[in-house]
Amino acid sequence: DVVMTQTPLSLSVTPGQPASISCKSSQSLLHSDGKTYLYWYLQKPGQSPQLLIYEVSNRFSGVPDRFSGSGSGTDFTLKISRVEAEDVGVYYCMQSKQLPPGFGGGTKVEIK
Amino acid sequence: EVQLVESGGDLIQPGGSLRLSCAASGFTVSSNYMSWVRQAPGKGLEWVSVIYSGGSIYYADSVKGRFTISRDNSKNTLYLQMNRLRVEDTAVYYCARGWHSSSWTYYFDYWGQGTLVTVSS
């Protein structure tokens, strides 16, 4: 099984400042088809998860451009260029290179 | 607009049964990969089951033999029949559409609001 490890566990950020979350996989998420199957989700308090980023760096429909994803192989990063109050919640990375899809443990983002 | 609305969650005793429903709108359930994902209280996300558009079905080892995923094409609805429930099945259960940008895998692009299943005596 592919193990997904996120750091840090929690993050407290001043509004307007950047934030960065790391996700590492135990195996490369690069497939022979050339795609890398790494995704980012945000679960706001009391809500269901929502897709932010698909295949490492593609923003899903309606996602603000302050969110960006990068990385390759086994190391990935989600960056928020300027954190806003509405960005609080738990961020999860997920892999689907090996089925079933597996999630990281989550990173809780709070506002200072 | 894609919408998923779960229902059926309840407080149930260990060993009992429950059926969850997920009514979809804005797309056709039978043409998509559909999954159930659960989240135990205060915990992370755990994939439970998937039904592919072609009808293939897969389960997490933790629920295999106890849970059954199905769909009713006429109602555009996904189901999860849960039998022999255990305390550790307590969770919010989400249905999610599995978008397959590649034919062999998928990711979750839309999620329902979730339904709470509590297994306790």
Side-chain angles (χ1 to χ4, degrees):
Chain A
D1 288 9
V2 179
V3 177
M4 306 296 290
T5 303
Q6 290 182 234
T7 55
L9 288 180
S10 65
L11 201 51
S12 185
V13 187
T14 300
Q17 293 301 301
S20 179
I21 299 169
S22 171
C23 176
K24 296 184 188 295
S25 57
S26 59
Q27 303 174 23
S28 175
L29 301 185
L30 173 63
H31 192 267
S32 56
D33 64 9
K35 293 183 179 179
T36 301
Y37 293 95
L38 185 281
Y39 308 85
W40 289 97
Y41 294 87
L42 166 59
Q43 186 173 31
K44 296 182 179 181
Q47 296 187 19
S48 56
Q50 58 188 82
L51 177 64
L52 295 176
I53 302 286
Y54 64 95
E55 292 164 12
V56 179
S57 59
N58 299 284
R59 277 188 300 276
F60 188 55
S61 175
V63 174
D65 60 7
R66 63 179 180 275
F67 291 94
S68 64
S70 63
S72 62
T74 61
D75 290 352
F76 304 94
T77 302
L78 176 71
K79 292 183 179 176
I80 311 172
S81 60
R82 295 173 303 280
V83 172
E84 297 187 6
E86 65 181 23
D87 300 336
V88 299
V90 180
Y91 291 77
Y92 294 95
C93 60
M94 186 194 85
Q95 69 81 27
S96 68
K97 192 239 175 141
Q98 184 180 101
L99 296 179
F103 296 91
T107 295
K108 186 173 184 178
V109 172
E110 299 174 323
I111 296 295
K112 279 185 184 175
Chain B
E1 179 191 8
V2 172
Q3 282 197 325
L4 296 164
V5 179
E6 301 96 333
S7 60
D10 205 348
L11 170 62
I12 190 88
Q13 290 191 339
S17 296
L18 207 56
R19 189 178 81 155
L20 307 183
S21 300
C22 171
S25 58
F27 72 101
T28 302
V29 163
S30 61
S31 299
N32 285 269
Y33 297 4
M34 296 297 298
S35 267
W36 290 95
V37 178
R38 68 183 180 184
Q39 186 172 37
K43 302 297 184 183
L45 300 165
E46 179 190 18
W47 173 85
V48 173
S49 181
V50 64
I51 180 167
Y52 287 179
S53 51
S56 296
I57 287 172
Y58 300 92
Y59 299 99
D61 288 343
S62 57
V63 307
K64 201 174 294 182
R66 300 187 298 123
F67 289 11
T68 302
I69 191 172
S70 63
R71 66 192 180 204
D72 184 328
N73 298 343
S74 66
K75 295 182 179 179
N76 209 34
T77 299
L78 179 73
Y79 300 100
L80 186 66
Q81 177 67 44
M82 311 165 70
N83 297 331
R84 305 202 307 275
L85 281 160
R86 304 168 180 169
V87 170
E88 54 266 34
D89 295 320
T90 295
V92 174
Y93 285 74
Y94 297 102
C95 71
R97 187 174 79 168
W99 185 252
H100 47 289
S101 59
S102 302
S103 61
W104 62 274
T105 189
Y106 57 94
Y107 61 94
F108 309 114
D109 60 350
Y110 291 96
W111 300 62
Q113 86 288 351
T115 188
L116 177 61
V117 174
T118 304
V119 185
S120 175
S121 54

